[in-house]
């Protein structure tokens, strides 16, 4: 078969030459990033999956929502630095200006963009309505103010 050897029993053609070297090199890449002043370190594999997560005791001071958000931001930074490493590997093997190089770089930069996505602003809750104040004014004009009974005195006490 021209264009590549068959894979190890899977029947898929295996690339040769510089493309194979690039594939092998990209498969072994990993990247790490730190966040929260070094309290969090995230390592990702070439697929972008998290392979390591190290938390310092200082990370616990962030609280659960803060810790989750900082882990995600740090993971995204690690993934975008992975795209930078792939760019270096492509330039050193097949070249960034070749079709193969452009396709691989486009795939990584689309999956792992360099700019961090903007988080939506925290919703602002409207202030609660003022607590109702109760007055002792009668509801009907002919009633005198009383203690809440119909004539101002307890009609049940007869």
């Amino acid at each position: 078969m021209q264009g590549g050897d068959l894979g190890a029993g899977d029947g898929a053609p295996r690339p040769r030459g510089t493309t194979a070297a690039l594939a092998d090199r990209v498969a072994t890449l990993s990247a790490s990033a730190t966040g929260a002043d070094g309290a969090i370190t995230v390592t990702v594999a070439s697929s972008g999956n998290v392979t390591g997560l190290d938390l310092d005791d200082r990370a616990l001071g962030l609280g659960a929502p803060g810790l989750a958000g900082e882990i995600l931001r740090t993971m995204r930074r690690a993934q975008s630095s992975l795209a930078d490493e792939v760019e270096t590997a492509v330039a050193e093997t097949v070249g960034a200006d070749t079709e193969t190089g452009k396709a691989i770089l486009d795939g990584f930069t689309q999956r792992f963009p360099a700019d961090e996505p903007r988080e939506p602003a925290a919703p602002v809750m409207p202030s609660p309505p003022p607590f109702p104040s109760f007055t002792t004014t009668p509801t009907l004009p002919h009633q005198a103010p009383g203690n809440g009974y119909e004539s101002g005195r307890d009609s049940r006490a007869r």
Side-chain angles (χ1 to χ4, degrees):
M1 172 178 209
Q2 289 183 325
D5 298 329
L6 287 179
D10 59 358
R14 183 173 288 160
R16 287 196 238 175
T18 56
T19 307
L22 176 61
D24 291 341
R25 189 166 169 183
V26 168
T28 60
L29 288 178
S30 67
S32 295
T34 59
D37 296 326
I40 299 170
T41 303
V42 177
T43 304
V44 294
S46 62
S47 62
N49 294 334
V50 175
T51 58
L53 174 62
D54 295 322
L55 301 175
D56 193 336
D57 288 337
R58 295 174 291 161
L60 299 177
L62 298 172
L67 179 61
E70 189 62 30
I71 288 172
L72 288 176
R73 283 188 291 277
T74 306
M75 181 188 71
R76 289 184 192 117
R77 280 196 302 273
Q79 289 171 337
S80 72
S81 67
L82 177 67
D84 295 339
E85 289 188 30
V86 169
E87 184 176 0
T88 302
V90 166
E92 293 175 356
T93 53
V94 297
D97 56 344
T98 63
E99 285 185 40
T100 303
K102 288 178 184 177
I104 291 173
L105 289 176
D106 286 344
F108 270 88
T109 55
Q110 286 178 2
R111 284 177 42 209
F112 311 122
D115 57 338
E116 292 185 25
R118 301 183 86 193
E119 293 185 21
V124 177
M125 297 296 295
S127 61
F131 192 77
S133 62
F134 298 101
T135 60
T136 59
T137 57
T139 56
L140 297 176
H142 66 277
Q143 290 180 331
N147 59 3
Y149 294 101
E150 65 273 1
S151 66
R153 67 178 187 99
D154 189 356
S155 63
R156 293 177 291 170
R158 293 192 181 169

